[in-house]
Amino acid sequence: MRTPSPGHPPRRRLLTAALTALVLLGAGGVSACGGSADAGDDGGKLRIGYQRFGGLSLVKARDAAPDVEWSLFESGPALTEALKAGSIDIGQVGEAPPVFAAAGKIPFSIIGTSAPIPQGEAVLVKADSGCRSFADLKGKTVALNKGSNVHWLLVRLLEANKMTLRDINVKYLKPAEGRPAFDSGQVDAWVIWDPYFALAEQPGVRVLADATGLASNREYVLAAPDAVSKRTDDVRAFLQKYREVTDWGIANPQERARVLAPELKIPEDVTSRALARSAKPLAPVSPAIGDELQAITDSFIALDLIPGPVDIRSRVDDRFSAVFQ
């Protein structure tokens, strides 16, 4: 466990304001460029859905793909809804959103992933809460974004501590709702991912647990079926640029933070701290990745969190794997 060192109140207000800006800008999916909803299959611009902080944010911040149309989303579930609506061609999410999207019969293919990022999501509590382990949350209220990567972390933490969903009071809140609820004491714990995680690491906040040893917390690249089948070369070219920019960022962490902080609208030191644990290389999909996602899917079905059966293995498409190797 680690407790952040004391800071100054003005800085806390600055970071709170930064979080507010972050979630407001990400809410609902805001198009950063013009373009029609049907541009993805007529040879127009590829439409990319991204979340602030992920690898795609760096591509956008560096203007490395000037011929695409960007749309911003607060969370993975919101991004998969855009896939359902046909308003984006490619998007980047965590490990649970593909599962919930597949259960919802949303058409997509899984065309890329990343190395594991277990330190990039965590359970936060107030330092004076008396909670020293996840088991101490029994009977308490835990907030998280439904269907996001941290939903799987919650399931794994419950299993590891021989608890069930009945042992806690789960409150489903989007990041824009979760932080004020946590700060005001309306919830006892907040399960959240970077960069919201890094922004919330303030004096008086304790990291109760992260996903180490429990969940991979991989990044997944999803694509609309029409984009994969009809614009294969365009998708491949974009993924190549995505890979190059990601590799550049890993090799140049200080410059990466400098470039990304203005895009994220959060302080550079917070950006650096989050990136140090959450920026990982991209990786090709494989049968093993399909098995990993299927295990997550089957667990959610067993808990009645999604309807089954769901064959998510069949969503894995390795035609672009050479780009990520």
Side-chain angles (χ1 to χ4, degrees), residues 204-215:
V205 173
R206 173 183 292 113
V207 177
L208 194 64
D210 64 22
T212 301
L214 296 170

Side-chain angles (χ1 to χ4, degrees), residues 124-147:
L124 305 181
V125 297
K126 296 294 180 60
D128 60 2
S129 68
C131 294
R132 294 295 182 270
S133 71
F134 185 83
D136 294 332
L137 291 175
K138 189 170 184 177
K140 298 187 181 297
T141 300
V142 179
L144 69 149
N145 193 97
K146 185 176 183 179

Side-chain angles (χ1 to χ4, degrees), residues 155 159 165-166 294-308:
V155 169
E159 291 174 351
L165 287 167
R166 292 185 295 274
Q294 191 64 54
I296 296 171
T297 302
D298 293 344
S299 292
F300 278 124
I301 293 171
L303 292 169
D304 292 324
L305 291 170
I306 59 172

Side-chain angles (χ1 to χ4, degrees), residues 36-95:
S36 64
D38 61 357
D41 59 5
D42 66 359
K45 292 183 176 182
L46 275 179
R47 301 159 304 163
I48 311 299
Y50 75 109
Q51 300 179 62
R52 288 198 182 275
F53 184 72
L56 289 177
S57 285
L58 187 58
V59 179
K60 181 177 183 297
R62 295 194 75 202
D63 196 25
D67 295 328
V68 306
E69 176 183 315
W70 296 95
S71 292
L72 173 64
F73 298 90
E74 182 184 3
S75 66
L79 189 149
T80 58
E81 283 299 309
L83 277 171
K84 179 180 180 180
S87 58
I88 61 172
D89 300 307
I90 297 173
Q92 159 209 36
V93 298
E95 57 198 352

Side-chain angles (χ1 to χ4, degrees), residues 112-192:
T113 185
S114 74
I117 315 169
Q119 297 87 4
E121 57 181 356
V123 182
L124 305 181
V125 297
K126 296 294 180 60
D128 60 2
S129 68
C131 294
R132 294 295 182 270
S133 71
F134 185 83
D136 294 332
L137 291 175
K138 189 170 184 177
K140 298 187 181 297
T141 300
V142 179
L144 69 149
N145 193 97
K146 185 176 183 179
S148 66
N149 56 336
V150 293
H151 207 153
W152 177 234
L153 173 57
L154 175 68
V155 169
R156 295 291 289 129
L157 281 164
L158 289 168
E159 291 174 351
N161 287 275
K162 296 180 169 45
M163 297 165 64
T164 71
L165 287 167
R166 292 185 295 274
D167 290 317
I168 58 174
N169 175 29
V170 178
K171 195 165 187 177
Y172 292 125
L173 299 174
K174 297 176 182 178
E177 305 163 328
R179 176 65 185 273
F182 178 67
D183 285 347
S184 64
Q186 297 175 48
V187 299
D188 299 294
W190 188 27
V191 196
I192 192 60

Side-chain angles (χ1 to χ4, degrees), residues 275-288:
L275 287 166
R277 64 187 172 218
S278 291
K280 301 295 182 182
L282 293 170
V285 293
S286 65

